[in-house]
Amino acid sequence: MSWKNYIILCLAINAIWVLGLLFIQPFSDLIEGLMLLFLSTNAR
């Protein structure tokens, strides 16, 4: 895979991730819950 294709792939995945977080409410709630769970279990 060339670096140009890799950059395009990363940008596409990033765009899908951000749009999913912005416009799909259950998806963003799930990610928020998982982040809070991770942070609360690793807090010292």
Side-chain angles (χ1 to χ4, degrees):
M1 180 182 286
S2 69
W3 66 272
K4 208 181 255 187
N5 287 341
Y6 182 74
I7 295 295
I8 292 171
L9 177 66
C10 288
L11 288 174
I13 290 172
N14 196 4
I16 290 170
W17 182 264
V18 168
L19 291 174
L21 286 175
L22 286 174
F23 296 116
I24 303 173
Q25 189 65 34
F27 179 66
S28 62
D29 289 341
L30 173 70
I31 298 302
E32 180 183 4
L34 290 174
M35 288 175 62
L36 288 173
L37 178 66
F38 173 77
L39 291 172
S40 66
T41 56
N42 290 320
R44 292 183 183 245

